[in-house]
Amino acid sequence: MFVAMETKKTICKPKVFNEVYEEHSKSLYNFMYYKCGDRDLAEDMVQESFVKLWENCAKVFFSKAKSFLFTVANNMFLNHVAHKKIVLKHASEGQKNYTHETPEYLIEEQEFLKKLKGAIADLPDKQREVFLLNRIDKKKYKEIAEMLGISVKAVEKRMSLALKSLRAKIGSNFK
């Protein structure tokens, strides 16, 4: 009976599509923002993911909409990164490298925030993604595992490694 009800709830109906949008757009945006660090790019990828969902609404079951959206958005991000690497490679071939020194006179709070942001940015992508989803977006390990398509144990391992790395760079008081 559940399967029969599932097939009747089609994403091609604007009301159902809006329901999917309302339920998943914010978490999809946060997921993409944590991956790319650019608000505008994250918003663009979210919108494009929903466009693709609408274009494929007849093929996607309601229960698989979230998975479809996160997969499409993640693939878009990976394509974007690949393209960016190529652009940077070609741009750097003809340019000289310059170094910019930062001022050494910062207040203690600014130094800590800079150190924290740097330490988070230095985390491997998978660890940073799990760390930000848990600590900033307040997602539980199970939710993160579902979003990323990995096991809860993998999420725990990534979080453990992220915290260990952050403690080593910032200090043992970091929890």
Side-chain angles (χ1 to χ4, degrees), residues 109-152:
E109 183 181 35
Q110 289 172 330
E111 288 177 356
F112 176 77
L113 289 174
K114 184 177 178 181
K115 195 174 183 181
L116 176 62
K117 287 179 182 178
I120 291 172
D122 288 343
L123 288 173
D125 291 342
K126 292 177 180 182
Q127 290 176 23
R128 182 178 61 244
E129 185 177 37
V130 167
F131 176 79
L132 291 172
L133 283 169
N134 178 256
R135 295 301 169 101
I136 303 300
D137 209 26
K138 306 294 186 209
K139 297 284 184 194
K140 296 189 181 336
Y141 287 178
K142 184 177 179 183
E143 293 174 298
I144 296 169
E146 290 173 4
M147 290 170 75
L148 301 178
I150 59 176
S151 69
V152 174

Side-chain angles (χ1 to χ4, degrees), residues 1-9:
M1 177 136 186
F2 177 72
V3 174
M5 289 173 52
E6 177 64 32
T7 56
K8 290 181 181 180
K9 196 166 187 178

Side-chain angles (χ1 to χ4, degrees), residues 98-104 114:
Y98 296 98
T99 59
H100 299 283
E101 293 185 35
T102 59
E104 295 179 5
K114 184 177 178 181

